[in-house]
Amino acid sequence: MTLIKRVGKALAVIVVVLAVGGFTGHQYVNHVEKQRPVVTLAKHPKKVLFFYRDDCPDCQAIFHRIYWHNVISHNIILINMNQPKNRHYIQQYQLTSVPTLIHGKQRYAGTKQSQIKRIVGD
């Protein structure tokens, strides 16, 4: 087998592995997004709060970016507002829409990446 054929086969294997890994990662994040755990914020002081709904198109548009940022930084609490026991946060944090990010006195509701980056950090 020539060097070109070996390199070609190796590249094909790498592409397939990356594609399968990317698909699996995407499916896992979608699974996490649909979970509806009850969140107790007293256990998480000084973290960024991400209020979302798993059936909200705007929330879905930014969820993957928020999730992967949190995998690295561990500074975001994901709060699915479709969980009835999380809805008391609506009054507590005066939420008017989702997605909403809150960190200390900083607050942003929307999908603009520059504003999200300002709240969650780099």
Side-chain angles (χ1 to χ4, degrees):
M1 193 176 338
T2 67
L3 178 62
I4 293 173
K5 286 183 180 179
R6 281 189 279 170
V7 170
K9 285 184 179 184
L11 286 175
V13 168
I14 290 169
V15 167
V16 169
V17 168
L18 290 174
V20 169
F23 177 76
T24 304
H26 181 77
Q27 292 300 326
Y28 177 75
V29 175
N30 285 342
H31 168 74
V32 169
E33 180 181 13
K34 302 293 183 213
Q35 292 179 337
R36 297 179 178 177
V38 177
V39 177
T40 305
L41 294 180
K43 296 178 183 177
H44 307 287
K46 300 183 182 182
K47 294 214 175 193
V48 176
L49 308 178
F50 176 53
F51 296 96
Y52 73 98
R53 290 176 58 108
D54 58 64
D55 57 357
C56 161
D58 285 342
C59 301
Q60 292 169 351
I62 65 170
F63 189 87
H64 282 252
R65 183 172 180 115
I66 299 287
Y67 175 83
W68 288 113
H69 176 85
N70 192 48
V71 165
I72 295 166
S73 66
H74 305 289
N75 69 335
I76 301 172
I77 304 301
L78 307 171
I79 306 158
N80 189 340
M81 298 308 289
N82 279 337
Q83 165 55 259
K85 292 183 179 179
N86 290 339
R87 292 196 182 137
H88 67 278
Y89 294 124
I90 294 170
Q91 288 182 331
Q92 183 178 348
Y93 289 94
Q94 300 173 350
L95 301 173
T96 57
S97 65
V98 289
T100 297
L101 291 134
I102 299 174
H103 187 224
K105 294 186 181 197
Q106 297 181 71
R107 167 187 293 258
Y108 176 68
T111 61
K112 192 172 181 182
Q113 291 299 323
S114 62
Q115 294 295 326
I116 293 169
K117 198 172 187 180
R118 178 179 60 84
I119 302 288
V120 301
D122 289 334

